[in-house]
Amino acid sequence: MAEPQHLAGAAGKASPGAGEEASDPNFMTSLARGLSVIRAFTEREPNLTIADIAKITGLPRAAARRCLLTLMQLGYAGSDGRTFHLKPKILALGYSFLSSAPLATILDPLIEQVSGAVQESCSAAVLDEDDVVYIARAATKRIMSVGLNVGSRLPAYCTSMGRVLLAALPESELDAYLSRVPLKPYTERTITAVDALKRELERVRDRGFSLVDQELELGLRSIAVPIHTAAGGVVAAMNISAQAARVTCPEMEVQFLPHLHRASEEARVLLVRSRGV
């Protein structure tokens, strides 16, 4: 399956506005620049030159060079003399989140359980900026042309987990999202009209789940449910993805949705026990 060009950098794009100075006196520009450099590296582009980093992040070449050399001195990056790459030590940054976040800790075994029961890939994600970010994943097969792992990012508007999370936003936050995010077509099925997307999100709220049929990638279907707190808020989403040739949309609702609902309810109970949410 050929990889859509739109997805090429979806798993690790740099922060928008990374090269801009912040007016907040508490804002550390050097730290923000360093983080934008780290996020420039992706699965498709694991080796980058200083010029590459500067282009991706919007930083001056001199600033990109200083960030890279600092990361090298700290053991987070390496170089062959021309290009730079991240080193395994960088995983410690993500592990700090996973080991301290009860949400990820709770969802991981539930994701494995659901994936084992249906023999399909299962994931959990949260909304971060304008994307969904994967915080747990159990993959049985590589069903997408882009490899997905914990930390991967995908657009919210055309993914099942993203729509579940967008549907839970207050109206003002959803309107702000729709006003700033271009609804680009990933396939000919992608909803790109704001009014149509709003109607679909209303449908998601009414039904309590989202089913996306080949809008992110042809041949891929996904169904997702929200994960609630005791107070009713939505803190994450959980989905099952499958090849369209193997399962129809109605079959996904019948075969997969009950497993997702049970796991979501178990996650809600465990979250209450762990932190009284």
Side-chain angles (χ1 to χ4, degrees), residues 149-182:
N149 301 290
V150 172
S152 294
R153 306 176 72 92
L154 289 176
Y157 66 90
C158 58
T159 55
S160 61
M161 290 191 289
R163 286 185 181 169
V164 163
L165 296 167
L166 289 175
L169 290 177
E171 186 175 354
S172 60
E173 292 184 26
L174 177 59
D175 287 342
Y177 169 89
L178 294 172
S179 68
R180 69 175 177 267
V181 175

Side-chain angles (χ1 to χ4, degrees), residues 30-277:
S30 57
L31 176 59
R33 289 179 170 182
L35 292 173
S36 71
V37 167
I38 291 173
R39 294 180 64 187
F41 293 91
T42 69
E43 180 184 13
R44 282 180 56 83
E45 298 180 301
N47 299 285
L48 297 170
T49 64
I50 292 175
D52 293 332
I53 293 288
K55 181 178 180 181
I56 293 170
T57 62
L59 294 173
R61 287 174 61 114
R65 178 178 178 275
R66 288 196 300 272
C67 289
L68 288 165
L69 294 179
T70 300
L71 290 170
M72 284 184 62
Q73 290 186 33
L74 295 174
Y76 292 114
S79 175
D80 61 6
R82 177 179 174 273
T83 65
F84 293 82
H85 59 271
L86 297 180
K87 297 182 70 174
K89 187 177 179 180
I90 203 75
L91 294 172
L93 301 179
Y95 181 75
S96 296
F97 165 75
L98 292 175
S99 61
S100 63
L103 183 58
T105 303
I106 286 170
L107 293 180
D108 194 59
L110 296 177
I111 292 296
E112 293 284 352
Q113 179 181 326
V114 171
S115 178
V118 301
Q119 290 299 296
E120 298 287 357
S121 297
C122 183
S123 309
V126 296
L127 194 62
D128 180 55
E129 296 175 350
D130 297 331
D131 300 325
V132 290
V133 178
Y134 283 64
I135 61 172
R137 178 162 170 79
T140 56
K141 297 178 181 178
R142 187 183 176 98
I143 63 172
M144 289 188 67
S145 61
V146 172
L148 294 175
N149 301 290
V150 172
S152 294
R153 306 176 72 92
L154 289 176
Y157 66 90
C158 58
T159 55
S160 61
M161 290 191 289
R163 286 185 181 169
V164 163
L165 296 167
L166 289 175
L169 290 177
E171 186 175 354
S172 60
E173 292 184 26
L174 177 59
D175 287 342
Y177 169 89
L178 294 172
S179 68
R180 69 175 177 267
V181 175
L183 304 182
K184 300 177 181 178
Y186 283 78
T187 74
E188 65 268 20
R189 295 172 175 260
T190 309
I191 295 176
T192 57
V194 171
D195 289 343
L197 181 58
K198 280 188 171 183
R199 288 194 296 271
E200 179 59 25
L201 293 177
E202 290 175 2
R203 188 163 176 256
V204 170
R205 292 188 203 100
D206 292 340
R207 299 205 301 174
F209 70 92
S210 172
L211 200 162
V212 171
D213 184 12
Q214 304 180 78
E215 293 189 47
L216 178 68
E217 180 171 319
L218 290 176
L220 176 69
R221 292 186 173 125
S222 178
I223 189 168
V225 300
I227 295 172
H228 293 277
T229 65
V234 175
V235 292
M238 181 184 299
N239 85 338
I240 296 172
S241 299
Q243 292 178 350
R246 227 177 32 247
V247 59
T248 66
C249 290
E251 287 172 343
M252 292 189 78
E253 293 186 35
V254 173
Q255 298 175 20
F256 299 161
L257 198 54
H259 291 280
L260 289 172
H261 280 318
R262 283 194 292 270
S264 175
E265 177 58 22
E266 187 172 349
R268 185 191 66 81
V269 173
L270 292 173
L271 281 169
V272 171
R273 291 176 181 173
S274 68
R275 57 182 183 180
V277 176

